[in-house]
Amino acid sequence: MRRPNFVIFITDQQRADHLGCYGNPTVRTPHIDALAAAGVRFSRFHVATPICQPNRAALVTGQMPSVNGVRQNGIPLGLDSLTFAEVLRGEGYRTGYIGKAHFQNVTDIPAPPRVPGGEGDTPALVLSRRDQRQGPDYGWEVRRRWARQPGLTLPGPYYGFERVRLCIGHGDLVDGHYTAWLNERHPDPAALRGPDHALASTVTAPQCWRTAVPEALYPTRYIQEQACDFLAEQDAETPFVLVVSFPDPHHPFTPPGRYWSMYDPDEVELPASFHHPVEAIEGLPGSALEAYRWGAEDPESHWPFAVSERQAREIIALNYGSISMVDDAVGEVLATLRAQGLADDTVVAFTSDHGDYMGDHGSMLKMGLHFQSVLRVPLIWHDPRRPGEGEVSGRLGSAIDLAPTLLQRAGLRVPIGMQGQDLFGHEPAADVLVEDPGIRVFRDSEARVSIISLVTERWRLSLFEGEAGGELYDLEADPHELTNRWSDPACRAVRLDLQARLSQRLIALRDRSLVATARA
């Protein structure tokens, strides 16, 4: 039997319920919904960490951030890392990656220094390991490098992907291979991009502008075109894996053309927790609220920030517009797959790297607390040889499960060191572990303020480094996470059980990538 092909769609910062097939009554996503109707939709698929760079590393390596080393944004994935693409390439697959990768740093801005008065000097061993992930080989995703040199040639394979077309950045401020493509199609692209060149608009919410970039030149369209070109070059003899990764609907919110006004803010439904701010949640340590204070001071940055009802409706409407444009692109890529006669041999998956509060507890963006809106992301899996025909799977899943699931479907053994499970295997689903270095590391790289969470069939438990308290939510009775049950005497036994389960999960997810070479 012919080995299956794979097409994997990834969006950026999209919560699970911002798709029609996940119950959203407003956003129109017919192509993605059709994929779910013909396949399997996972209702409890989660991130390994709610941050871009480390969760993308988890998706391709099948390893937790603490194992692959990408603990936070700003730490590139090691070039010696084993990805599912490298495994498939070794088995004769053609490998392609179109769009946002974020396996390496996207800026060359130095990390924040240690806060004065810290605990001693950084050990030399740590410095030497850090130096191993610096230098020219780790500068391929610096956005302004491509802006200055649009004709750069990326050496390959890049983390196992032979054909790569990068999009670096978000909204209409994207560079990479896209830069040269845009320059070829417009005499002055700079005059179209960014808030200073935006079209007139009545939207007042932060990080929103009506881009002058037309639909035909927007990054989503570029990714669609490049993905279709890749598929047009494939044949029925050689299997392939293609990742199609969109920078949208991540902020800033700049859907082009008709997508800008596709949704009326007045018709947008706000989340049930909108009027219940994080400050109203009992038992949270002060450090847990730090991100939201920073967002209040600077809503144009990447910290979570509070919004008014009107601002929330505006942002959500624009977010939906970006998602609908992605959906149209997905439809075109799938149409090309069918036109090439490859659909019957191709497994198609759709997921996102993490979610967005999108109005939960009156906030936007991510970072801070581990609400389901940032932890739970879509995963749709359509296998023409094993159609689910609209099946909804409640199996717990994590980003580290994607790589093993792909490799098992390809008939390959999962390499030693990959930590996830085959989502279609017979092994019982494991509790989901979520690692997070904490918000303060973005201002103090040596800060010790990590958050760690365990998500089970019913509960979410979160612990804060250096804090006695924590979070405990009954996701069955309280799906909007309004009431922290950490100090509730009626939940004491549950909390102790979950803390024990968390300990077991930490033990199970230790680094096992190195194997003994002798009895020593």
Side-chain angles (χ1 to χ4, degrees), residues 1-6 92-94 234-241 340-347 383 385 409-411:
M1 181 180 292
R2 188 182 187 280
R3 290 175 293 176
N5 308 312
F6 298 96
Y93 273 70
R94 293 172 180 157
Q234 305 310 307
D235 56 55
E237 303 303 319
T238 307
F240 65 85
V241 57
Q340 293 297 113
L342 299 169
D344 290 342
D345 294 309
T346 303
V347 174
D383 186 340
R385 301 297 182 189
R409 180 60 187 89

PDB file of all heavy atoms in Angstrom, residues 1-6 92-94 234-241 340-347 383 385 409-411:
ATOM      1  N   MET A   1       0.845  -1.200   0.000  1.00  0.00           N
ATOM      2  CA  MET A   1       0.000   0.000   0.000  1.00  0.00           C
ATOM      3  C   MET A   1       0.878   1.247   0.000  1.00  0.00           C
ATOM      4  O   MET A   1       1.900   1.300   0.684  1.00  0.00           O
ATOM      5  CB  MET A   1      -0.920   0.014   1.225  1.00  0.00           C
ATOM      6  CG  MET A   1      -1.843   1.231   1.282  1.00  0.00           C
ATOM      7  SD  MET A   1      -2.924   1.233   2.733  1.00  0.00           S
ATOM      8  CE  MET A   1      -3.972  -0.163   2.354  1.00  0.00           C
ATOM      9  N   ARG A   2       0.469   2.248  -0.779  1.00  0.00           N
ATOM     10  CA  ARG A   2       1.226   3.483  -0.870  1.00  0.00           C
ATOM     11  C   ARG A   2       1.249   4.188   0.474  1.00  0.00           C
ATOM     12  O   ARG A   2       0.242   4.257   1.176  1.00  0.00           O
ATOM     13  CB  ARG A   2       0.604   4.398  -1.922  1.00  0.00           C
ATOM     14  CG  ARG A   2       1.440   5.644  -2.219  1.00  0.00           C
ATOM     15  CD  ARG A   2       0.729   6.525  -3.246  1.00  0.00           C
ATOM     16  NE  ARG A   2       1.563   7.635  -3.682  1.00  0.00           N
ATOM     17  CZ  ARG A   2       1.732   8.752  -2.998  1.00  0.00           C
ATOM     18  NH1 ARG A   2       1.107   8.911  -1.849  1.00  0.00           N
ATOM     19  NH2 ARG A   2       2.507   9.722  -3.460  1.00  0.00           N
ATOM     20  N   ARG A   3       2.410   4.719   0.837  1.00  0.00           N
ATOM     21  CA  ARG A   3       2.523   5.470   2.084  1.00  0.00           C
ATOM     22  C   ARG A   3       1.735   6.772   1.970  1.00  0.00           C
ATOM     23  O   ARG A   3       1.709   7.400   0.914  1.00  0.00           O
ATOM     24  CB  ARG A   3       3.988   5.759   2.390  1.00  0.00           C
ATOM     25  CG  ARG A   3       4.793   4.525   2.773  1.00  0.00           C
ATOM     26  CD  ARG A   3       6.255   4.855   2.947  1.00  0.00           C
ATOM     27  NE  ARG A   3       6.875   5.240   1.670  1.00  0.00           N
ATOM     28  CZ  ARG A   3       8.143   5.654   1.554  1.00  0.00           C
ATOM     29  NH1 ARG A   3       8.900   5.778   2.638  1.00  0.00           N
ATOM     30  NH2 ARG A   3       8.631   5.966   0.363  1.00  0.00           N
ATOM     31  N   PRO A   4       1.112   7.220   3.051  1.00  0.00           N
ATOM     32  CA  PRO A   4       0.267   8.417   2.961  1.00  0.00           C
ATOM     33  C   PRO A   4       1.087   9.693   2.840  1.00  0.00           C
ATOM     34  O   PRO A   4       2.204   9.796   3.349  1.00  0.00           O
ATOM     35  CB  PRO A   4      -0.503   8.393   4.284  1.00  0.00           C
ATOM     36  CG  PRO A   4       0.426   7.705   5.236  1.00  0.00           C
ATOM     37  CD  PRO A   4       1.101   6.638   4.411  1.00  0.00           C
ATOM     38  N   ASN A   5       0.512  10.672   2.146  1.00  0.00           N
ATOM     39  CA  ASN A   5       1.035  12.031   2.175  1.00  0.00           C
ATOM     40  C   ASN A   5       0.411  12.737   3.377  1.00  0.00           C
ATOM     41  O   ASN A   5      -0.586  12.285   3.948  1.00  0.00           O
ATOM     42  CB  ASN A   5       0.636  12.800   0.909  1.00  0.00           C
ATOM     43  CG  ASN A   5       0.982  12.062  -0.357  1.00  0.00           C
ATOM     44  OD1 ASN A   5       2.100  11.575  -0.508  1.00  0.00           O
ATOM     45  ND2 ASN A   5       0.026  11.984  -1.277  1.00  0.00           N
ATOM     46  N   PHE A   6       0.979  13.889   3.721  1.00  0.00           N
ATOM     47  CA  PHE A   6       0.428  14.698   4.812  1.00  0.00           C
ATOM     48  C   PHE A   6       0.425  16.174   4.416  1.00  0.00           C
ATOM     49  O   PHE A   6       1.420  16.686   3.902  1.00  0.00           O
ATOM     50  CB  PHE A   6       1.258  14.551   6.096  1.00  0.00           C
ATOM     51  CG  PHE A   6       1.299  13.165   6.647  1.00  0.00           C
ATOM     52  CD1 PHE A   6       2.362  12.311   6.346  1.00  0.00           C
ATOM     53  CD2 PHE A   6       0.283  12.689   7.472  1.00  0.00           C
ATOM     54  CE1 PHE A   6       2.406  11.027   6.851  1.00  0.00           C
ATOM     55  CE2 PHE A   6       0.320  11.402   7.977  1.00  0.00           C
ATOM     56  CZ  PHE A   6       1.382  10.564   7.669  1.00  0.00           C
ATOM     57  N   GLY A  92      12.347   8.804   2.633  1.00  0.00           N
ATOM     58  CA  GLY A  92      12.053   9.054   1.238  1.00  0.00           C
ATOM     59  C   GLY A  92      10.959  10.057   0.957  1.00  0.00           C
ATOM     60  O   GLY A  92      10.569  10.249  -0.209  1.00  0.00           O
ATOM     61  N   TYR A  93      10.460  10.729   1.971  1.00  0.00           N
ATOM     62  CA  TYR A  93       9.421  11.737   1.775  1.00  0.00           C
ATOM     63  C   TYR A  93      10.020  13.040   1.259  1.00  0.00           C
ATOM     64  O   TYR A  93      11.118  13.437   1.663  1.00  0.00           O
ATOM     65  CB  TYR A  93       8.712  12.039   3.096  1.00  0.00           C
ATOM     66  CG  TYR A  93       7.548  11.131   3.427  1.00  0.00           C
ATOM     67  CD1 TYR A  93       7.756   9.800   3.775  1.00  0.00           C
ATOM     68  CD2 TYR A  93       6.245  11.608   3.409  1.00  0.00           C
ATOM     69  CE1 TYR A  93       6.692   8.969   4.093  1.00  0.00           C
ATOM     70  CE2 TYR A  93       5.169  10.792   3.728  1.00  0.00           C
ATOM     71  CZ  TYR A  93       5.395   9.467   4.067  1.00  0.00           C
ATOM     72  OH  TYR A  93       4.342   8.633   4.383  1.00  0.00           O
ATOM     73  N   ARG A  94       9.284  13.728   0.399  1.00  0.00           N
ATOM     74  CA  ARG A  94       9.578  15.108   0.084  1.00  0.00           C
ATOM     75  C   ARG A  94       8.966  15.967   1.189  1.00  0.00           C
ATOM     76  O   ARG A  94       7.845  15.702   1.634  1.00  0.00           O
ATOM     77  CB  ARG A  94       8.987  15.500  -1.272  1.00  0.00           C
ATOM     78  CG  ARG A  94       9.644  14.794  -2.451  1.00  0.00           C
ATOM     79  CD  ARG A  94       8.900  15.071  -3.743  1.00  0.00           C
ATOM     80  NE  ARG A  94       9.527  14.394  -4.868  1.00  0.00           N
ATOM     81  CZ  ARG A  94       8.904  14.092  -6.000  1.00  0.00           C
ATOM     82  NH1 ARG A  94       7.614  14.403  -6.144  1.00  0.00           N
ATOM     83  NH2 ARG A  94       9.538  13.488  -6.982  1.00  0.00           N
ATOM     84  N   GLN A 234       4.039  17.675  -7.149  1.00  0.00           N
ATOM     85  CA  GLN A 234       4.114  16.328  -6.597  1.00  0.00           C
ATOM     86  C   GLN A 234       3.534  15.305  -7.575  1.00  0.00           C
ATOM     87  O   GLN A 234       2.783  15.652  -8.495  1.00  0.00           O
ATOM     88  CB  GLN A 234       3.380  16.265  -5.261  1.00  0.00           C
ATOM     89  CG  GLN A 234       3.870  17.281  -4.242  1.00  0.00           C
ATOM     90  CD  GLN A 234       5.374  17.293  -4.070  1.00  0.00           C
ATOM     91  OE1 GLN A 234       6.000  16.262  -3.817  1.00  0.00           O
ATOM     92  NE2 GLN A 234       5.983  18.473  -4.217  1.00  0.00           N
ATOM     93  N   ASP A 235       3.889  14.053  -7.355  1.00  0.00           N
ATOM     94  CA  ASP A 235       3.376  12.979  -8.202  1.00  0.00           C
ATOM     95  C   ASP A 235       2.821  11.864  -7.323  1.00  0.00           C
ATOM     96  O   ASP A 235       2.880  11.942  -6.095  1.00  0.00           O
ATOM     97  CB  ASP A 235       4.477  12.442  -9.125  1.00  0.00           C
ATOM     98  CG  ASP A 235       5.705  11.981  -8.352  1.00  0.00           C
ATOM     99  OD1 ASP A 235       5.560  11.136  -7.438  1.00  0.00           O
ATOM    100  OD2 ASP A 235       6.823  12.456  -8.640  1.00  0.00           O
ATOM    101  N   ALA A 236       2.298  10.867  -7.941  1.00  0.00           N
ATOM    102  CA  ALA A 236       1.648   9.781  -7.206  1.00  0.00           C
ATOM    103  C   ALA A 236       2.647   8.739  -6.707  1.00  0.00           C
ATOM    104  O   ALA A 236       2.232   7.777  -6.041  1.00  0.00           O
ATOM    105  CB  ALA A 236       0.600   9.113  -8.094  1.00  0.00           C
ATOM    106  N   GLU A 237       3.923   8.921  -7.017  1.00  0.00           N
ATOM    107  CA  GLU A 237       4.910   7.893  -6.672  1.00  0.00           C
ATOM    108  C   GLU A 237       5.673   8.201  -5.386  1.00  0.00           C
ATOM    109  O   GLU A 237       6.002   7.290  -4.623  1.00  0.00           O
ATOM    110  CB  GLU A 237       5.906   7.733  -7.832  1.00  0.00           C
ATOM    111  CG  GLU A 237       5.265   7.398  -9.165  1.00  0.00           C
ATOM    112  CD  GLU A 237       4.417   6.132  -9.092  1.00  0.00           C
ATOM    113  OE1 GLU A 237       4.861   5.167  -8.440  1.00  0.00           O
ATOM    114  OE2 GLU A 237       3.326   6.114  -9.686  1.00  0.00           O
ATOM    115  N   THR A 238       5.963   9.450  -5.144  1.00  0.00           N
ATOM    116  CA  THR A 238       6.802   9.819  -3.999  1.00  0.00           C
ATOM    117  C   THR A 238       5.955  10.495  -2.930  1.00  0.00           C
ATOM    118  O   THR A 238       5.316  11.518  -3.198  1.00  0.00           O
ATOM    119  CB  THR A 238       7.920  10.781  -4.431  1.00  0.00           C
ATOM    120  OG1 THR A 238       8.642  10.207  -5.534  1.00  0.00           O
ATOM    121  CG2 THR A 238       8.879  11.039  -3.270  1.00  0.00           C
ATOM    122  N   PRO A 239       5.926   9.983  -1.711  1.00  0.00           N
ATOM    123  CA  PRO A 239       5.110  10.600  -0.659  1.00  0.00           C
ATOM    124  C   PRO A 239       5.705  11.939  -0.221  1.00  0.00           C
ATOM    125  O   PRO A 239       6.907  12.190  -0.396  1.00  0.00           O
ATOM    126  CB  PRO A 239       5.158   9.578   0.471  1.00  0.00           C
ATOM    127  CG  PRO A 239       6.449   8.862   0.281  1.00  0.00           C
ATOM    128  CD  PRO A 239       6.650   8.792  -1.213  1.00  0.00           C
ATOM    129  N   PHE A 240       4.882  12.785   0.345  1.00  0.00           N
ATOM    130  CA  PHE A 240       5.337  14.104   0.773  1.00  0.00           C
ATOM    131  C   PHE A 240       4.634  14.512   2.060  1.00  0.00           C
ATOM    132  O   PHE A 240       3.561  13.996   2.407  1.00  0.00           O
ATOM    133  CB  PHE A 240       5.078  15.158  -0.316  1.00  0.00           C
ATOM    134  CG  PHE A 240       3.625  15.403  -0.604  1.00  0.00           C
ATOM    135  CD1 PHE A 240       2.864  16.294   0.149  1.00  0.00           C
ATOM    136  CD2 PHE A 240       2.994  14.722  -1.651  1.00  0.00           C
ATOM    137  CE1 PHE A 240       1.521  16.510  -0.115  1.00  0.00           C
ATOM    138  CE2 PHE A 240       1.643  14.933  -1.927  1.00  0.00           C
ATOM    139  CZ  PHE A 240       0.908  15.827  -1.159  1.00  0.00           C
ATOM    140  N   VAL A 241       5.253  15.452   2.757  1.00  0.00           N
ATOM    141  CA  VAL A 241       4.627  16.131   3.888  1.00  0.00           C
ATOM    142  C   VAL A 241       4.788  17.622   3.664  1.00  0.00           C
ATOM    143  O   VAL A 241       5.879  18.095   3.344  1.00  0.00           O
ATOM    144  CB  VAL A 241       5.233  15.704   5.241  1.00  0.00           C
ATOM    145  CG1 VAL A 241       6.738  15.947   5.301  1.00  0.00           C
ATOM    146  CG2 VAL A 241       4.531  16.429   6.396  1.00  0.00           C
ATOM    147  N   GLN A 340      -4.859  17.497  -8.453  1.00  0.00           N
ATOM    148  CA  GLN A 340      -3.648  16.731  -8.734  1.00  0.00           C
ATOM    149  C   GLN A 340      -3.854  15.235  -8.560  1.00  0.00           C
ATOM    150  O   GLN A 340      -2.927  14.448  -8.782  1.00  0.00           O
ATOM    151  CB  GLN A 340      -2.508  17.198  -7.824  1.00  0.00           C
ATOM    152  CG  GLN A 340      -2.019  18.607  -8.083  1.00  0.00           C
ATOM    153  CD  GLN A 340      -1.419  18.753  -9.465  1.00  0.00           C
ATOM    154  OE1 GLN A 340      -1.963  19.451 -10.307  1.00  0.00           O
ATOM    155  NE2 GLN A 340      -0.301  18.087  -9.718  1.00  0.00           N
ATOM    156  N   GLY A 341      -5.049  14.842  -8.139  1.00  0.00           N
ATOM    157  CA  GLY A 341      -5.339  13.428  -7.927  1.00  0.00           C
ATOM    158  C   GLY A 341      -4.662  12.844  -6.708  1.00  0.00           C
ATOM    159  O   GLY A 341      -4.428  11.633  -6.637  1.00  0.00           O
ATOM    160  N   LEU A 342      -4.353  13.703  -5.720  1.00  0.00           N
ATOM    161  CA  LEU A 342      -3.598  13.270  -4.536  1.00  0.00           C
ATOM    162  C   LEU A 342      -4.451  13.148  -3.281  1.00  0.00           C
ATOM    163  O   LEU A 342      -3.977  12.645  -2.260  1.00  0.00           O
ATOM    164  CB  LEU A 342      -2.462  14.268  -4.262  1.00  0.00           C
ATOM    165  CG  LEU A 342      -1.418  14.428  -5.378  1.00  0.00           C
ATOM    166  CD1 LEU A 342      -0.526  15.627  -5.090  1.00  0.00           C
ATOM    167  CD2 LEU A 342      -0.591  13.156  -5.518  1.00  0.00           C
ATOM    168  N   ALA A 343      -5.699  13.600  -3.343  1.00  0.00           N
ATOM    169  CA  ALA A 343      -6.510  13.675  -2.125  1.00  0.00           C
ATOM    170  C   ALA A 343      -6.758  12.321  -1.491  1.00  0.00           C
ATOM    171  O   ALA A 343      -6.793  12.206  -0.259  1.00  0.00           O
ATOM    172  CB  ALA A 343      -7.843  14.361  -2.439  1.00  0.00           C
ATOM    173  N   ASP A 344      -6.907  11.280  -2.294  1.00  0.00           N
ATOM    174  CA  ASP A 344      -7.225   9.959  -1.737  1.00  0.00           C
ATOM    175  C   ASP A 344      -6.058   9.326  -1.001  1.00  0.00           C
ATOM    176  O   ASP A 344      -6.230   8.321  -0.316  1.00  0.00           O
ATOM    177  CB  ASP A 344      -7.693   9.019  -2.853  1.00  0.00           C
ATOM    178  CG  ASP A 344      -9.061   9.403  -3.391  1.00  0.00           C
ATOM    179  OD1 ASP A 344      -9.776  10.147  -2.704  1.00  0.00           O
ATOM    180  OD2 ASP A 344      -9.403   8.947  -4.500  1.00  0.00           O
ATOM    181  N   ASP A 345      -4.872   9.903  -1.156  1.00  0.00           N
ATOM    182  CA  ASP A 345      -3.686   9.366  -0.478  1.00  0.00           C
ATOM    183  C   ASP A 345      -3.106  10.345   0.534  1.00  0.00           C
ATOM    184  O   ASP A 345      -1.983  10.149   0.998  1.00  0.00           O
ATOM    185  CB  ASP A 345      -2.601   9.029  -1.512  1.00  0.00           C
ATOM    186  CG  ASP A 345      -2.998   7.900  -2.429  1.00  0.00           C
ATOM    187  OD1 ASP A 345      -3.415   6.844  -1.922  1.00  0.00           O
ATOM    188  OD2 ASP A 345      -2.913   8.082  -3.656  1.00  0.00           O
ATOM    189  N   THR A 346      -3.852  11.391   0.879  1.00  0.00           N
ATOM    190  CA  THR A 346      -3.288  12.452   1.715  1.00  0.00           C
ATOM    191  C   THR A 346      -4.089  12.652   2.992  1.00  0.00           C
ATOM    192  O   THR A 346      -5.295  12.912   2.950  1.00  0.00           O
ATOM    193  CB  THR A 346      -3.222  13.779   0.938  1.00  0.00           C
ATOM    194  OG1 THR A 346      -2.454  13.595  -0.257  1.00  0.00           O
ATOM    195  CG2 THR A 346      -2.577  14.868   1.784  1.00  0.00           C
ATOM    196  N   VAL A 347      -3.405  12.539   4.116  1.00  0.00           N
ATOM    197  CA  VAL A 347      -3.974  12.874   5.419  1.00  0.00           C
ATOM    198  C   VAL A 347      -3.858  14.386   5.587  1.00  0.00           C
ATOM    199  O   VAL A 347      -2.788  14.958   5.368  1.00  0.00           O
ATOM    200  CB  VAL A 347      -3.230  12.155   6.555  1.00  0.00           C
ATOM    201  CG1 VAL A 347      -3.743  12.622   7.924  1.00  0.00           C
ATOM    202  CG2 VAL A 347      -3.360  10.646   6.419  1.00  0.00           C
ATOM    203  N   ASP A 383      -8.400  11.550   7.392  1.00  0.00           N
ATOM    204  CA  ASP A 383      -7.636  10.467   6.778  1.00  0.00           C
ATOM    205  C   ASP A 383      -8.553   9.755   5.789  1.00  0.00           C
ATOM    206  O   ASP A 383      -9.503   9.087   6.198  1.00  0.00           O
ATOM    207  CB  ASP A 383      -7.153   9.495   7.857  1.00  0.00           C
ATOM    208  CG  ASP A 383      -6.235   8.415   7.310  1.00  0.00           C
ATOM    209  OD1 ASP A 383      -6.250   8.169   6.088  1.00  0.00           O
ATOM    210  OD2 ASP A 383      -5.508   7.796   8.110  1.00  0.00           O
ATOM    211  N   ARG A 385      -8.282   7.159   4.159  1.00  0.00           N
ATOM    212  CA  ARG A 385      -8.283   5.706   4.294  1.00  0.00           C
ATOM    213  C   ARG A 385      -8.984   5.251   5.576  1.00  0.00           C
ATOM    214  O   ARG A 385      -9.356   4.096   5.717  1.00  0.00           O
ATOM    215  CB  ARG A 385      -6.841   5.177   4.291  1.00  0.00           C
ATOM    216  CG  ARG A 385      -6.061   5.516   3.042  1.00  0.00           C
ATOM    217  CD  ARG A 385      -6.667   4.875   1.805  1.00  0.00           C
ATOM    218  NE  ARG A 385      -5.875   5.160   0.608  1.00  0.00           N
ATOM    219  CZ  ARG A 385      -6.265   4.874  -0.620  1.00  0.00           C
ATOM    220  NH1 ARG A 385      -7.449   4.310  -0.825  1.00  0.00           N
ATOM    221  NH2 ARG A 385      -5.499   5.175  -1.651  1.00  0.00           N
ATOM    222  N   ARG A 409       1.090   6.968  11.649  1.00  0.00           N
ATOM    223  CA  ARG A 409       0.238   6.814  10.459  1.00  0.00           C
ATOM    224  C   ARG A 409       1.074   6.507   9.227  1.00  0.00           C
ATOM    225  O   ARG A 409       0.603   5.822   8.294  1.00  0.00           O
ATOM    226  CB  ARG A 409      -0.587   8.097  10.241  1.00  0.00           C
ATOM    227  CG  ARG A 409      -1.508   8.040   9.029  1.00  0.00           C
ATOM    228  CD  ARG A 409      -2.525   6.917   9.145  1.00  0.00           C
ATOM    229  NE  ARG A 409      -3.296   6.771   7.928  1.00  0.00           N
ATOM    230  CZ  ARG A 409      -2.960   6.010   6.892  1.00  0.00           C
ATOM    231  NH1 ARG A 409      -1.811   5.324   6.909  1.00  0.00           N
ATOM    232  NH2 ARG A 409      -3.750   5.919   5.834  1.00  0.00           N
ATOM    233  N   ALA A 410       2.310   6.979   9.199  1.00  0.00           N
ATOM    234  CA  ALA A 410       3.209   6.680   8.078  1.00  0.00           C
ATOM    235  C   ALA A 410       3.801   5.280   8.176  1.00  0.00           C
ATOM    236  O   ALA A 410       4.542   4.860   7.278  1.00  0.00           O
ATOM    237  CB  ALA A 410       4.329   7.712   8.022  1.00  0.00           C
ATOM    238  N   GLY A 411       3.472   4.563   9.250  1.00  0.00           N
ATOM    239  CA  GLY A 411       3.981   3.211   9.431  1.00  0.00           C
ATOM    240  C   GLY A 411       5.376   3.157   9.984  1.00  0.00           C
ATOM    241  O   GLY A 411       6.076   2.142   9.836  1.00  0.00           O
TER     242      GLY A 411
END
